[in-house]
Amino acid sequence: RDLAPPMRGPERFYLACAFRARASASTSNNAAAKLDAIVTMGRQAMSRAHDADGVEDAVLFDEDKTLLLDALERQASRGPCQGTRPWDLWDPAGALAYDAWSMLGNISPERAMELYCEVISSRYADWFDMLVRGMSEKQKRAMIATAKEGALEYYRALASGALGESARLAQTKDARRALAFNSSTGPTAFLDEMFASAADDEFVRLPILSKVSPRARSGHMSAVVDGDTIFFSHGRGSRSRLLGDLWAFDLATGAWAERKLQWPGSTCAGAASATIGSKLYAFRGKSADDCDVDGVYSLTVSAIDLTANYASKDFKWTHVRCETSDEVSTPPRARSGHTSTAIGDRIFIFGGVDAKTGDDLDELWEFTPTTTVWKKLANGTRPRSSHAATSVDERYLLVCGGSTGNELCDCGAVDVYDVVKGEWGTVDGDNEDGDRPSPRAAHASVAIGNQWFVIGGGDNENAIQDAYTFDLRACVDERKCRWTLFAESCALIGKEGMSASAVVSPSSKRVFLLLHGGLNEKGAVCDTIACRLAPLASH
């Protein structure tokens, strides 16, 4: 009877390796370090069991099974056979080990793990009971926890391609989500693991686990899909290079993957985007391809379905042909540094810099994706660009910060547009405790519950290294301006042109704030910064 614990896959494999109590074949990925730790604990456990109950001193297998177990261990840790076969004359044992590994062909690492456990069980049906005999509950839990950590490293190596491209492509989304060792906690498992011992409300730079990662950029677009993937696209890279690529960041594995587009659209920076359903809408300004200096360009609209099959011809940007309502004869002019905010089934475009004149705009436009019709609304209280915007109750559009020419706008005052009444107003007033963000532009922002996070930005001289939260309910319900300092003197968030997103962990119900890219004194960066928020009641 197999008394192994109620787990499967990598966790069970690593415990079986610990039972075998012998060193792993040399590996080059991070999983090897975890395996060594488990094997060491396995030796200690077997020693205690021997002292207590007089079981055999070593776990014994015949020569053929030993070769097979070694080969399966290599296949699980490194993928299909690699390297040069040793000479029989000089290294007969190495040649036999190589042949055994080679005979496994292209079986997947997960299948190799299953076969390894089957071989162990065929010789020692009660191997797990033998492994933990004499251990305290604390020691037993520690060993199982280490096996789970090893499984996490394995899934990371699998996702990054460290075990071979065929192994990476063979994995399913369910397998990737198993990073949290339970499918119900998978979508944000990478974040949960990274913050297992980190403090709340502190910003942390996430490690890059993949062999590939995006180019450094600022002024790009981002969108969260299914709560487990963040897409990043376009922006301005190093040396002011305009970008048009699309990258996906998997929150279950921490792996980056570039998504090849059938048509990437024009490269651009300073565009605005909004997501409705699974579609990301991009509102682009004048690009490098628009060469007629005397031409008057319209604000073009493109869309992409981020849930489409990546390998299909449908995964591409498509141009949206737009019309105007009866009240206006021309669509909005091309611009950059504007905002696009989804409110219900409509998207509201505000401000920006006119691509032809270079003047800041105070225009507010409404775009309806279902009809592709533009409608001109009331102008804002002042022209501005590189500001931040959000929505509340599918009724109010809030705008703060930005600049008019070289003059920074007051970031502590918030302009509010009532979609129902069609009217603008300003909510202002100093907090009693003095918390109020300084004037800034190109700051990141994201609404989480009733709090609007405003992060970083610049003041025409330096990047700003602080973050504030704004009480959305107090703003729309009481017409009061309540700011709270969230972070200060934090170099990680001292950037202009970052993107900001928020996701919720299904397992812990905790909210993660994620920032990507941006521009600091050294240039554009590709960092991803994360912060796990304390329960909302503490804010």
Side-chain angles (χ1 to χ4, degrees):
R1 188 167 61 94
D2 191 347
L3 299 179
M7 57 176 60
R8 58 183 180 179
E11 303 100 307
R12 193 164 182 264
F13 164 72
Y14 288 133
L15 290 172
C17 289
F19 170 75
R20 193 178 172 207
R22 68 182 304 273
S24 166
S26 61
T27 58
S28 59
N29 57 51
N30 290 333
K34 297 296 182 186
L35 181 56
D36 287 342
I38 298 167
V39 169
T40 298
M41 286 192 293
R43 289 197 187 99
Q44 295 171 348
M46 293 299 291
S47 176
R48 283 191 298 273
H50 170 69
D51 294 340
D53 297 317
V55 299
E56 57 191 302
D57 187 46
V59 178
L60 301 177
F61 294 92
D62 61 34
E63 183 178 359
D64 289 341
K65 285 190 176 180
T66 297
L67 283 170
L68 176 58
L69 287 169
D70 287 344
L72 290 169
E73 198 172 287
R74 289 189 179 95
Q75 190 87 1
S77 301
R78 300 178 63 184
C81 184
Q82 53 191 269
T84 304
R85 183 183 185 277
W87 285 10
D88 294 289
L89 180 62
W90 300 108
D91 186 5
L96 283 173
Y98 184 93
D99 291 342
W101 187 11
S102 178
M103 289 176 63
L104 295 178
N106 290 319
I107 69 170
S108 69
E110 289 190 10
R111 180 57 181 156
M113 292 179 178
E114 292 175 1
L115 292 173
Y116 186 97
C117 293
E118 289 178 9
V119 173
I120 294 288
S121 297
S122 68
R123 174 70 173 84
Y124 298 95
D126 58 347
W127 65 266
F128 182 71
D129 185 54
M130 294 172 61
L131 174 63
V132 300
R133 192 175 301 154
M135 295 177 68
S136 67
E137 283 300 315
K138 182 177 180 180
Q139 292 169 331
K140 178 180 174 181
R141 286 196 301 269
M143 186 164 62
I144 292 176
T146 308
K148 290 184 175 183
E149 291 175 15
L152 177 64
E153 298 293 349
Y154 161 75
Y155 281 120
R156 287 177 183 162
L158 188 67
S160 67
L163 302 184
E165 185 67 9
S166 59
R168 185 185 69 81
L169 293 175
Q171 67 170 327
T172 64
K173 194 161 189 175
D174 287 340
R176 287 185 283 119
R177 286 182 171 179
L179 273 164
F181 324 116
N182 186 308
S183 60
S184 65
T185 59
T188 59
F190 172 66
L191 296 177
D192 291 326
E193 175 70 15
M194 290 298 101
F195 280 84
S197 59
D200 291 336
D201 293 345
E202 290 189 3
F203 289 96
V204 175
R205 179 186 289 108
L206 297 180
I208 297 177
L209 303 179
S210 309
K211 290 183 178 180
V212 295
S213 59
R215 297 181 183 91
R217 69 191 64 211
S218 64
H220 49 285
M221 299 178 283
S222 68
V224 179
V225 176
D226 294 334
D228 64 1
T229 305
I230 305 181
F231 287 89
F232 301 95
S233 184
H234 291 76
R236 188 180 297 275
S238 57
R239 299 182 181 178
S240 296
R241 178 184 179 184
L242 295 177
L243 305 174
D245 51 356
L246 178 68
W247 287 79
F249 182 54
D250 191 330
L251 299 176
T253 64
W256 285 100
E258 184 175 9
R259 301 306 186 191
K260 299 296 184 181
L261 295 162
Q262 297 297 319
W263 181 71
S266 302
T267 58
C268 64
S273 65
T275 305
I276 294 183
S278 62
K279 280 195 172 182
L280 175 65
Y281 291 87
F283 300 87
R284 307 161 183 261
K286 184 178 179 180
S287 73
D289 296 331
D290 304 325
C291 301
D292 184 357
V293 295
D294 297 320
V296 178
Y297 293 94
S298 299
L299 183 60
T300 59
V301 183
S302 301
I304 184 172
D305 186 348
L306 295 175
T307 61
N309 187 330
Y310 302 139
S312 75
K313 63 180 181 181
D314 297 324
F315 194 67
K316 63 180 179 180
W317 287 102
T318 58
H319 178 67
V320 179
R321 296 184 180 277
C322 304
E323 300 178 357
T324 57
S325 62
D326 296 337
E327 294 84 0
V328 292
S329 58
T330 58
R333 299 188 300 278
R335 64 198 63 200
S336 62
H338 48 296
T339 53
S340 57
T341 308
I343 302 180
D345 61 352
R346 296 170 292 173
I347 300 174
F348 292 78
I349 311 298
F350 177 71
V353 178
D354 190 302
K356 182 173 178 62
T357 67
D359 296 330
D360 287 290
L361 302 168
D362 61 358
E363 298 175 351
L364 176 64
W365 289 82
E366 173 191 297
F367 177 74
T368 305
T370 54
T371 62
T372 68
V373 171
W374 283 109
K375 181 180 179 181
K376 180 73 166 58
L377 304 175
N379 288 344
T381 62
R382 64 177 294 175
R384 67 175 86 201
S385 62
S386 299
H387 50 281
T390 192
S391 63
V392 182
D393 294 343
E394 294 193 355
R395 173 172 178 172
Y396 301 101
L397 173 69
L398 278 62
V399 177
C400 81
S403 63
T404 304
N406 292 324
E407 180 185 353
L408 293 171
C409 300
D410 182 3
C411 196
V414 176
D415 284 352
V416 181
Y417 178 76
D418 188 326
V419 172
V420 175
K421 295 182 178 180
E423 298 175 350
W424 282 94
T426 300
V427 178
D428 199 358
D430 292 327
N431 288 352
E432 293 181 1
D433 58 6
D435 281 346
R436 185 183 180 93
S438 60
R440 66 191 66 199
H443 40 299
S445 78
V446 62
I448 302 174
N450 294 325
Q451 300 293 325
W452 188 17
F453 286 76
V454 172
I455 308 147
D459 61 5
N460 291 335
E461 294 183 2
N462 300 296
I464 298 174
Q465 300 182 358
D466 63 25
Y468 284 80
T469 60
F470 181 73
D471 190 329
L472 295 172
R473 293 259 55 95
C475 177
V476 300
D477 296 341
E478 307 171 35
R479 288 297 188 265
K480 291 185 178 179
C481 212
R482 293 177 182 165
W483 290 96
T484 303
L485 180 65
F486 180 77
E488 61 180 334
S489 301
C490 179
L492 291 176
I493 62 175
K495 308 183 190 79
E496 301 177 48
M498 295 182 291
S499 62
S501 309
V503 295
V504 180
S505 167
S507 59
S508 65
K509 309 303 180 185
R510 303 295 291 278
V511 179
F512 291 92
L513 169 63
L514 294 108
L515 308 170
H516 181 74
L519 185 72
N520 59 21
E521 69 279 359
K522 297 181 180 179
V525 300
C526 64
D527 294 342
T528 302
I529 309 300
C531 175
R532 184 182 61 193
L533 304 182
L536 292 179
S538 66
H539 286 309

